[in-house]
Amino acid sequence: EADIYQTPRYLVIGTGKKITLECSQTMGHDKMYWYQQDPGMELHLIHYSYGVNSTEKGDLSSESTVSRIRTEHFPLTLESARPSHTSQYLCASSEPGTGANYGYTFGSGTRLTVV
Amino acid sequence: QKEVEQDPGPLSVPEGAIVSLNCTYSNSAFQYFMWYRQYSRKGPELLMYTYSSGNKEDGRFTAQVDKSSKYISLFIRDSQPSDTATYLCAAVFISGNTPLVFGKGTRLSVIA
């Protein structure tokens, strides 16, 4: 059973629409992350957060925003969807601390298609 | 130059083969190293992690870090078709205050 949930699983939307991808985790993790991954390609870090009201931009953060009002919830918003946003979006979380706690738990992803 | 380099493959091996997957890294301050496995259309899952140099074994999987050469390896013994996936290496500083740095991933196919 997944401890980190992403909705929707698949989304097809028209150009120019505003969309929010949801991510929730039940593990009480302080750290959460959003990645973009095209099929068969590498992970690109979009945004991350190390706690409530804390957000940071990753390598690929343009055109999207995040918020962290609650520990368990880390939504990603695209203000105006474009075909170039077509990709898979992966959410992850991790505990603070050392060692194995550095490991991320990933969600199953949202596959976004902008037409 | 990316901080963690990984040959994307693809790599195709027969069932039962020993597989060696490798990464190199450039920042000597990395202290924790991880391997993730990603099945098609799924999120990555943590497979193994190691601290600093040395080996770690878990069943058919062995993770190895050589800090002197900045080399990370994952060995899979008696490979199975169920091992078909993309394998990503990752590294992080001991403070853990920055995100993991991932390699690009190596696509592995194990043929029955």
Side-chain angles (χ1 to χ4, degrees), chain A residues 32-98:
Chain A
M32 296 189 73
Y33 313 84
W34 274 105
Y35 286 87
Q36 183 179 341
Q37 185 183 39
D38 292 330
M41 304 299 284
E42 64 184 300
L43 293 167
H44 291 284
L45 181 63
I46 311 172
H47 295 278
Y48 61 101
S49 167
Y50 282 178
V52 170
N53 295 325
S54 158
T55 61
E56 300 287 343
K57 293 184 178 182
D59 306 321
L60 199 71
S61 59
S62 63
E63 305 170 2
S64 65
T65 58
V66 291
S67 62
R68 190 85 184 278
I69 299 172
R70 304 196 318 263
T71 297
E72 63 271 21
H73 194 215
F74 191 41
L76 174 76
T77 298
L78 293 172
E79 291 293 333
S80 179
R82 296 213 293 261
S84 60
H85 293 140
T86 295
S87 189
Q88 175 164 255
Y89 292 83
L90 289 161
C91 181
S93 70
S94 66
E95 297 180 57
T98 61

Side-chain angles (χ1 to χ4, degrees), chain B residues 11-109:
Chain B
L11 181 63
S12 184
V13 301
E15 182 176 359
I18 296 174
V19 177
S20 173
L21 303 171
N22 306 294
C23 293
T24 58
Y25 64 94
S26 58
N27 195 326
S28 58
F30 287 138
Q31 290 285 353
Y32 286 95
F33 304 91
M34 302 175 193
W35 284 95
Y36 286 79
R37 177 175 61 197
Q38 184 177 21
Y39 292 118
S40 181
R41 302 190 179 191
K42 299 286 188 182
E45 56 178 338
L46 180 63
L47 196 58
M48 297 183 71
Y49 81 95
T50 54
Y51 170 68
S52 193
S53 281
N55 293 358
K56 187 171 186 177
E57 188 173 321
D58 183 2
R60 296 184 295 109
F61 298 88
T62 299
Q64 190 174 81
V65 177
D66 183 345
K67 293 205 74 181
S68 62
S69 59
K70 298 188 180 68
Y71 207 75
I72 313 165
S73 300
L74 178 71
F75 299 97
I76 307 174
R77 292 183 300 279
D78 187 25
S79 55
Q80 302 295 310
S82 59
D83 296 327
T84 295
T86 295
Y87 291 81
L88 301 99
C89 60
V92 70
F93 304 115
I94 193 168
S95 67
N97 288 331
T98 56
L100 293 182
V101 180
F102 284 93
K104 290 185 176 183
T106 299
R107 297 175 64 186
L108 171 68
S109 295

Side-chain angles (χ1 to χ4, degrees), chain A residues 14-32:
Chain A
T15 298
K17 299 292 186 182
K18 178 179 179 179
I19 57 173
T20 296
L21 307 183
E22 301 289 345
C23 178
S24 294
Q25 49 97 2
T26 60
M27 297 171 284
H29 288 172
D30 285 329
K31 299 181 179 181
M32 296 189 73

